Amino acid sequence: MRTLAEIIRQMGMTDPRLLAAVAATPREIFVPPRSAGRAQLDEPIPIGHGQPTSQPSLVAQMIDALRLTGTETVLEIGTGYGYQTALLAHLAHRVHSVERHPDLAAHARTNLAAAGVTNVEVQVADGTAGLPAHAPFDAVVVSAAAPTVPGPLAGQLAEGGRLVMPISGDIADIVTLYTKRQGRLVRVRPLTPAQFVPLVGKYAGTADL
Ligand code: SAH
């Protein structure tokens, strides 16, 4: 059976740091125990509250677009069970992750500790408001879909930073890469169509900036 890192490399993601992070992160730890046998498949897995943890290749594609070098402070919205959080933690300096469901956040903290990940802080809050106390962020990744980027997240992105988020559409969500230039959020390019759960929060329906 191909490893997740092999699957991701064969899909065209060749960054050695990304592939090393995938290889070093046991996905079994980041899924419910009853699904551990499926953790090495490139498939979404239910984690409760009607939420799935995304398939690893999609997570990798979103993280790849952030071009992390190891120095960045990252904001993640939608911690889930913490798999993406763990990959981000391998690739950046510090990760601030926000999850709206307290029990999912608790699972994520447990799972991250079990995987030996320490440069992460998981908060229970409405992530659409971002985390003003820790801004600006060099990179922002949102794991749930909304029609536009919530204004606070655009505002908390550093100049030249990168933001990846699924933008909801009629047929599919379009995972989209943005950056910030001269204080404004700029759309760089669509990455891939995908299906995400809706982003639920105060600023989930508001216009850009
Ligand atoms: N990154 C996770 C994705 C989990 S699914 C993974 O791949 O494993 C999306 C998550 O976003 C769910 O856990 C859901 O509860 C969370 N979510 C939705 N809206 C949110 C909001 N406004 N603030 C924080 N978390 C939110």
Side-chain angles (χ1 to χ4, degrees):
M1 199 177 85
R2 290 183 301 165
T3 65
L4 288 172
E6 282 165 354
I7 291 169
I8 287 163
R9 181 169 48 78
Q10 284 167 4
M11 290 176 73
M13 288 169 264
T14 55
D15 177 359
R17 292 183 71 246
L18 175 68
L19 297 174
V22 172
T25 304
R27 191 170 180 236
E28 297 68 33
I29 292 180
F30 297 97
V31 300
R34 65 177 178 279
S35 300
R38 293 172 52 219
Q40 290 302 312
L41 302 177
D42 189 29
E43 293 176 357
I45 291 177
I47 55 175
H49 292 285
Q51 308 293 322
T53 178
S54 306
Q55 67 268 38
S57 60
L58 178 58
V59 171
Q61 203 175 352
M62 292 172 72
I63 294 178
D64 196 39
L66 297 176
R67 297 274 167 239
L68 299 171
T69 64
T71 60
E72 297 84 0
T73 300
V74 180
L75 175 65
E76 176 190 51
I77 309 303
T79 320
Y81 257 46
Y83 179 68
Q84 174 172 276
T85 322
L87 295 180
L88 291 167
H90 264 91
L91 294 166
H93 173 63
R94 180 136 200 100
V95 181
H96 298 275
S97 189
V98 186
E99 170 57 53
R100 61 187 285 265
H101 289 295
D103 58 325
L104 291 180
H107 277 294
R109 288 190 194 106
T110 303
N111 299 343
L112 290 160
V117 177
T118 56
N119 55 336
V120 169
E121 186 189 316
V122 178
Q123 300 211 14
V124 178
D126 172 6
T128 65
L131 288 176
H134 297 285
F137 298 99
D138 305 302
V140 177
V141 58
V142 184
S143 296
T148 57
V149 176
L153 301 187
Q156 291 168 34
L157 184 66
E159 183 71 18
R162 287 171 170 247
L163 181 149
V164 171
M165 172 173 166
I167 301 299
S168 43
D170 293 339
I171 298 166
D173 305 323
I174 307 293
V175 182
T176 307
L177 171 65
Y178 297 84
T179 188
K180 195 163 185 181
R181 289 191 201 123
Q182 293 171 339
R184 290 195 60 84
L185 193 70
V186 179
R187 184 175 170 279
V188 177
R189 63 187 158 88
L191 300 177
T192 184
Q195 295 288 347
F196 277 83
V197 294
L199 185 66
V200 180
K202 185 175 177 192
Y203 301 99
T206 54
D208 287 5
L209 287 177

